[in-house]
Amino acid sequence: AQRVTQPEKLLSVFKGAPVELKCNYSYSGSPELFWYVQYSRQRLQLLLRHISRESIKGFTADLNKGETSFHLKKPFAQEEDSAMYYCALSGRAGKSTFGDGTTLTVKP
Amino acid sequence: DTGVSQDPRHKITKRGQNVTFRCDPISEHNRLYWYRQTLGQGPEFLTYFQNEAQLEKSRLLSDRFSAERPKGSFSTLEIQRTEQGDSAMYLCASSLDRQGIADTQYFGPGTRLTVL
C-alpha cells in the first residue's frame, strides 16, 4: 500500500529562518516523489521532484530511502513562500498518493 | 494551450441528483487523473486514464461514480444519486507518461461540488 505522511499541519517561521517540511512515505518499491505547492487562490503546481535533483525557489529535497523520507528544506524562508505544501508519491502502477499537506506561514 | 481546464467551476445540486464534470487536459498529455479533495485533506486519488483506457480505479470509489475518456482527450466524471458526503473539490490533472515513468502532473482549478 502507498502512504504519505506529513506530520505537521501548520508550520510558522520568521522571514530569513530555515524551514523544513517533513514527509515520510510507505511504498514497497522505488517511488517517484514530488512536492507540490498551492499558493493562495492558485491551483496546485509542482515545486520539485526527486528525480531531477534540482533546487526550485531555493527549496531542495533529498530522498532518504533508509528513513523513507523526502523532507523539503529551504535555508532562508521568504514571505512569498507562505502556501500549502503537499508531498506526493507515484508508484509504478501510476496511482498517486498525496499527503494531507502542511500550511507554511512565513512571518515578517 | 492554457493548461488543464475544468467545467463547471462550481456546482450546487440537491441530494439524489446526477452531476457530470468535464476536464480538458493539456493536449499532448496521455495521462489524466481525477482526485477528490475535502477540507483539511490532500487530494485523494479516484482514477486515472492512459489515453482512453481507464487503468486504475480507487476502491473508495463507489458504483455511483463513473469516469470516461472516450477519445483519449477530454474526460468526464459522473456522480449518480449524489449524497451530502460527495460534497468536495474534484480535481483533474494531466501528465505525459514516457516509458512508464511518472511525470509532473498539471492540475486544473477544480470543480467545487455542494450537495444540499
Side-chain angles (χ1 to χ4, degrees):
Chain A
Q2 294 178 200
R3 182 174 292 177
V4 175
T5 303
Q6 294 180 249
E8 304 135 330
K9 276 279 190 189
L10 303 170
L11 186 61
S12 181
V13 300
F14 284 101
K15 177 183 172 182
V19 63
E20 181 180 49
L21 290 82
K22 292 184 169 54
C23 171
N24 290 90
Y25 68 90
S26 173
Y27 182 67
S28 55
S30 293
E32 298 274 348
L33 284 153
F34 304 79
W35 276 98
Y36 285 85
V37 61
Q38 188 165 27
Y39 300 103
S40 180
R41 297 189 185 87
Q42 293 187 27
R43 61 183 69 185
L44 206 54
Q45 59 186 286
L46 178 75
L47 179 62
L48 55 80
R49 51 186 301 188
H50 91 270
I51 199 168
S52 56
R53 300 186 64 82
E54 55 190 346
S55 172
I56 304 293
K57 298 184 179 182
F59 284 96
T60 59
D62 290 318
L63 176 60
N64 186 324
K65 291 187 177 181
E67 296 183 358
T68 59
S69 68
F70 188 57
H71 303 326
L72 183 69
K73 300 177 184 179
K74 184 169 183 176
F76 308 103
Q78 302 300 313
E79 289 181 68
E80 55 266 30
D81 296 328
S82 295
M84 175 72 89
Y85 291 81
Y86 293 96
C87 182
L89 179 157
S90 287
R92 287 184 63 186
K95 177 183 174 181
S96 290
T97 301
F98 282 72
D100 285 337
T102 298
T103 301
L104 173 65
T105 302
V106 181
K107 297 180 285 188
Chain B
D1 196 322
T2 55
V4 179
S5 61
Q6 292 186 245
D7 184 69
R9 295 291 305 277
H10 303 274
K11 179 70 177 178
I12 299 174
T13 191
K14 293 183 179 179
R15 189 177 52 179
Q17 298 294 304
N18 299 344
V19 294
T20 301
F21 309 141
R22 177 180 170 123
C23 172
D24 286 272
I26 293 172
S27 56
E28 64 268 26
H29 284 182
N30 52 7
R31 278 202 181 179
L32 187 148
Y33 301 79
W34 284 101
Y35 296 90
R36 177 173 59 193
Q37 187 174 24
T38 53
L39 197 62
Q41 308 290 318
E44 176 188 26
F45 173 83
L46 294 179
T47 188
Y48 90 95
F49 293 83
Q50 178 93 5
N51 299 311
E52 66 274 10
Q54 187 173 16
L55 294 189
E56 186 160 346
K57 189 174 174 180
S58 170
R59 282 174 287 180
L60 301 173
L61 213 59
S62 78
D63 291 342
R64 297 184 297 106
F65 287 71
S66 63
E68 292 183 343
R69 194 183 182 197
K71 296 182 181 177
S73 57
F74 74 92
S75 175
T76 57
L77 177 69
E78 181 183 17
I79 309 174
Q80 296 182 326
R81 305 181 303 281
T82 52
E83 302 172 356
Q84 288 183 325
D86 297 331
S87 295
M89 176 74 87
Y90 289 84
L91 295 170
C92 175
S94 71
S95 71
L96 182 62
D97 173 55
R98 285 176 279 236
Q99 299 178 334
I101 297 173
D103 205 343
T104 302
Q105 293 182 43
Y106 293 83
F107 282 82
T111 294
R112 182 167 295 284
L113 173 66
T114 302
V115 181
L116 302 176

